[in-house]
Amino acid sequence: MRAVTLRGVWIRRMRVEDIPRVHEIDVASFALPWPESSYRFEIEANPSAHLWVAEWQNEQGRYEIVGMIVVWLIIDEAHIATFAVHPQFRGYGIGQRLLAQALLEMHRMGAQRFTLEVRRSNLPAQSLYRKLGFEVISVRPGYYRDNHEDALIMNLEHLDVALVERLSREESSPGSPTLTGGQP
């Protein structure tokens, strides 16, 4: 996927030099974050892995990574391995655009099905996934090691390309940070 500017949010492939910031987002987002070495492995050694970051231009004109996603493409199934937007930047449509762009790219690469696990208590994430067409297909009881919370397994069998393309371009909600365009 080429890097694209979507209303000031720049989505591009993750690079090794992005790992410290990506790890910060992971730590701020999850009770069980991946170690930095996992991101390095995914970038450098896992041919099934596809990783992207979302950036926006801050007030000083510098680009800041605010979101990340890792997807594994295995034959015709794309599994969202991890996905997060920094807590300070949630609610502005950045995650929706990042996930939508990843789904579209995986579809172009041959994905027919999409899967993920999400905490039963993570209602905002479930809402986003449902908006893009995911449905709960089963439960993994006690999946998360930190508190033994169940994971909902969500699946998307038939990607509605027109819907996902529209959602990938949807404007930020009112009150969003000032997002300006341009290339990093």
Side-chain angles (χ1 to χ4, degrees):
M1 168 170 58
R2 286 187 8 200
V4 293
T5 302
L6 303 168
R7 297 282 302 165
V9 176
W10 181 259
I11 298 172
R12 62 166 175 79
R13 290 280 184 176
M14 188 185 299
R15 300 182 293 245
V16 170
E17 58 267 23
D18 299 329
I19 292 173
R21 175 61 179 165
V22 166
H23 188 252
E24 286 177 26
I25 293 168
D26 204 351
V27 168
S29 300
F30 300 117
L32 300 168
W34 286 15
E36 287 189 27
S37 60
S38 292
Y39 289 101
R40 180 174 294 280
F41 171 80
E42 298 297 334
I43 292 169
E44 295 179 342
N46 185 353
S48 298
H50 303 274
L51 302 84
W52 293 276
V53 294
E55 296 179 307
W56 76 284
Q57 192 175 29
N58 64 26
E59 297 77 28
Q60 292 78 38
R62 285 179 269 138
Y63 284 86
E64 179 179 2
I65 295 172
V66 297
M68 57 81 172
I69 188 166
V70 177
V71 183
W72 298 323
L73 181 60
I74 303 163
I75 307 173
D76 64 347
E77 184 174 310
H79 180 77
I80 290 105
T82 191
F83 166 52
V85 172
H86 192 283
Q88 292 179 327
F89 294 89
R90 291 182 187 156
Y92 301 117
I94 294 167
Q96 175 177 296
R97 287 184 233 149
L98 180 57
L99 179 58
Q101 286 295 313
L103 294 177
L104 290 168
E105 182 63 16
M106 292 293 91
H107 180 71
R108 282 190 279 274
M109 294 177 71
Q112 299 297 309
R113 285 182 304 285
F114 304 85
T115 63
L116 58 86
E117 291 96 9
V118 61
R119 286 180 185 266
R120 184 182 291 275
S121 64
N122 192 344
L123 300 179
Q126 291 173 43
S127 176
L128 171 60
Y129 301 143
R130 283 188 176 93
K131 187 175 184 179
L132 289 158
F134 283 85
E135 298 177 342
V136 174
I137 59 166
S138 64
V139 176
R140 291 187 203 263
Y143 180 76
Y144 293 99
R145 291 174 298 161
D146 63 324
N147 65 358
H148 304 289
E149 183 175 357
D150 295 346
L152 302 179
I153 301 173
M154 298 187 80
N155 192 46
L156 173 57
E157 282 289 330
H158 303 288
L159 185 70
D160 182 339
V161 174
L163 168 70
V164 176
E165 284 178 343
R166 181 177 56 77
L167 293 174
S168 77
R169 295 184 304 269
E170 199 168 88
E171 292 187 23
S172 299
S173 60
S176 65
T178 303
L179 300 175
T180 58
Q183 277 188 305

